[in-house]
Amino acid sequence: MPTYTVINPATEQPVRTVPSTSAAETDAAIERAAAAQVSWRATAPGERAALLRAFAAEVGAHIEELAALEVAGSGHPVGAARWEAGQVRDVLAYYAGAPERAFGRQIPVAGGLDVTFAEPLGVVGLIVPWNFPMPILSWGLAPALAAGNTVVAKPAEMTPLTAIRIGELALAAGLPEGVFQVLPGKGSVVGQRLVDHPLVRKIVFTGSTEVGQQVMRGCAAQIKRLTLELGGKSANIVFADADLEKAAATAPSAVFDNAGQDCCARSRILVQRSVLDRFMELLEPALNAVRVGDPASEDTVMGPLISSAHREHVASYVPDGAPVAIRGTAPDGPGWWYPPTVLAPVSATDRAWTEEIFGPVVTVSAFGDEAEAIAMANDSPYGLSGSIWTRDVGRAIRVARGVETGNLSVNSHSSVRYWTPFGGFKQSGLGRELGPDALDSFTDVKNVFIATEE
Ligand code: NAD
């Protein structure tokens, strides 16, 4: 079987060799998943719930091992990697409550009654990006399984290690063979087969908008259900009346989390003109406190970028002569390091303003009033995340309603929770994941009329 090698982004050393799944092996896995789905959907809801709880517990017992794999294979700081593994456990535990609550409705009709059933779709294909290999896998996996589907997951080529291990933990927890399979390999082979194979009834795709468009075209051929979580270009809007100290102190986390390789990165900081100078004074020490270094070290805040090619791409947003206002530090030597970088001022045609950077580079721009702040935040084909800093509650609500984006936070940089819905406006995606209604997108609703007249 052909294989490829996963490289440690902090050392450039090989970590492990993994199989590169072929199209024929992908088809065989999809057929196993379809066969397993027959008994999985028939498994009593309480039993399915118990198996998901056991799976959550198994992941919970292996947090350190999973975190170490993510440190080595993806360069995530160990504290963040532990949190990500914990999120897999928590998402599985949350959706373990769902099989026993998959209620239908009884709708009044003449001559009998009408009841609805939320039927599982069949086999679900999960296509996962490299930036958050564990959480994003779990967001599709847990509700899909809870609804009675079986799952074939394709991790990103560069970061398959934790997904492979989570697949083994599912079996150890007692999930039947074929209910959850992980196929490392190429997007153009494994991902494409998941899109094209008629037994796969839904694709959950998280990745770039360009590949998302291809996947959407492929799914159209079979009217295949599809959730898309795509790119972002989000704003962090700071009004003059805000707690500036707090806004500046958290601004680095809002954009440099995971070295900026975050779909929710707020890579445009918009500051009301009257407080711009003060904000920049406060931002500098906050940025300098971002410790960039060995991801295995407990006090590291930011690790390396995922690959040499990606570092080149990120660096292209900071050409010679770019308006670098603040720059942090990064290690020399092996590893794909890039220092946290603030650009200001930039024009509205600068690529750093218009494109998703997906690295530790942020722009700071000034705005005059509320309307201008909203217009600047919306100046993008994307709409995924955003933050608003103000002490005026009415303004917070007005601006939150005005910004065309799926997930916002007010006076906080944190807006993603597994128990609240997550997804994008505009070209940032289609459909919602997470939250209490996630099973709706992994089921089709059937109505059954039962005549009661003699
Ligand atoms: P990508 O689009 O290159 O790859 C995503 C996945 O698709 C990978 O597993 C890849 O192998 C697979 N793929 C590639 N070609 C395919 C094909 N023809 N058919 C099927 N699958 C194929 O994205 P990436 O570089 O891994 O991730 C970065 C992007 O993901 C960024 O744009 C980021 O914003 C986005 N992202 C979005 C969210 C969100 O929730 N909205 C979350 C994380 C990342």
Side-chain angles (χ1 to χ4, degrees):
M1 182 188 282
T3 58
Y4 67 96
T5 303
V6 174
I7 306 291
N8 183 328
T11 62
E12 303 181 33
Q13 293 302 307
V15 180
R16 192 172 296 177
T17 298
V18 295
S20 187
T21 311
S22 68
E25 288 161 340
T26 306
D27 286 359
I30 293 168
E31 281 152 30
R32 279 196 299 278
Q37 203 257 335
V38 176
S39 47
W40 180 245
R41 69 172 293 173
T43 303
E47 204 180 319
R48 228 186 296 143
L51 283 166
L52 288 174
R53 281 195 291 272
F55 186 6
E58 196 68 27
V59 170
H62 291 83
I63 299 288
E64 284 304 318
E65 182 195 344
L66 289 166
L69 275 178
E70 209 67 286
V71 170
S74 311
H76 290 199
V78 63
R82 255 185 224 123
W83 179 89
E84 291 159 19
Q87 166 122 140
V88 178
R89 173 200 57 211
D90 295 346
V91 171
L92 285 166
Y94 179 71
Y95 288 108
E100 294 171 296
R101 295 172 178 81
F103 306 124
R105 307 178 77 183
Q106 187 268 310
I107 300 170
V109 288
L113 61 102
D114 192 285
V115 290
T116 67
F117 297 89
E119 302 287 14
L121 303 171
V123 179
V124 171
L126 300 184
I127 302 176
V128 180
W130 51 259
N131 65 327
F132 286 113
M134 286 193 276
I136 290 172
L137 174 79
S138 72
W139 297 0
L141 174 63
L145 293 180
N149 304 284
T150 52
V151 170
V152 180
K154 194 208 90 61
E157 206 172 342
M158 288 185 284
T159 58
L161 301 181
T162 45
I164 293 172
R165 186 69 186 117
I166 290 167
E168 293 166 357
L169 296 175
L171 292 175
L175 262 74
E177 293 273 349
V179 167
F180 171 42
Q181 300 170 82
V182 178
L183 308 183
K186 290 193 167 149
S188 56
V189 178
V190 183
Q192 195 64 50
R193 262 332 271 156
L194 289 173
V195 171
D196 291 340
H197 200 298
L199 282 176
V200 177
R201 295 281 166 72
K202 170 163 182 156
I203 293 289
V204 179
F205 175 85
T206 307
S208 62
T209 296
E210 295 71 29
V211 179
Q213 285 166 339
Q214 278 181 48
V215 168
M216 193 171 183
R217 274 194 290 274
C219 287
Q222 297 163 22
I223 319 292
K224 192 168 286 193
R225 274 79 183 126
L226 175 65
T227 304
L228 294 172
E229 297 286 4
L230 308 174
K233 183 71 190 172
S234 302
N236 190 355
I237 308 172
V238 183
F239 285 94
D241 71 342
D243 179 340
L244 286 187
E245 279 74 15
K246 202 167 166 197
T250 58
S253 308
V255 58
F256 301 140
D257 185 33
N258 202 23
Q261 303 166 124
D262 180 355
C263 53
C264 290
R266 272 126 293 166
S267 59
R268 280 177 182 170
I269 303 178
L270 310 180
V271 185
Q272 201 154 19
R273 194 162 282 112
S274 58
V275 293
L276 179 64
D277 291 345
R278 177 69 186 135
F279 182 84
M280 292 302 276
E281 276 168 24
L282 292 165
L283 184 61
E284 183 154 10
L287 182 132
N288 289 330
V290 176
R291 238 187 93 95
V292 184
D294 178 6
S297 164
E298 294 288 343
D299 54 3
T300 289
V301 175
M302 198 177 112
L305 295 173
I306 191 68
S307 66
S308 167
H310 188 57
R311 179 171 63 181
E312 250 175 68
H313 172 73
V314 170
S316 75
Y317 291 96
V318 191
D320 287 344
V324 174
I326 311 173
R327 182 158 243 189
T329 56
D332 297 323
W336 296 307
W337 308 100
Y338 197 84
T341 303
V342 178
L343 301 179
V346 292
S347 80
T349 55
D350 192 312
R351 283 175 61 236
W353 171 264
T354 57
E355 295 179 13
E356 178 180 46
I357 299 173
F358 226 55
V361 177
V362 65
T363 62
V364 180
S365 308
F367 66 85
D369 61 9
E370 211 175 292
E372 192 183 8
I374 292 172
M376 288 169 81
N378 287 341
D379 176 25
S380 168
Y382 296 117
L384 189 57
S385 179
S387 297
I388 300 159
W389 292 84
T390 176
R391 287 189 168 99
D392 178 334
V393 178
R395 172 186 285 146
I397 300 288
R398 281 193 305 274
V399 176
R401 298 297 302 271
V403 176
E404 296 167 339
T405 181
N407 314 276
L408 279 148
S409 55
V410 173
N411 296 333
S412 165
H413 70 283
S414 131
S415 61
V416 182
R417 289 170 183 75
Y418 60 80
W419 57 98
T420 59
F422 177 76
F425 277 31
K426 301 195 282 185
Q427 291 184 29
S428 283
L430 188 70
R432 290 292 174 274
E433 297 192 278
L434 302 176
D437 302 322
L439 263 63
D440 292 353
S441 73
F442 290 100
T443 52
D444 271 337
V445 173
K446 176 186 285 170
N447 87 78
V448 178
F449 170 69
I450 305 161
T452 54
E453 287 175 345
E454 288 191 287

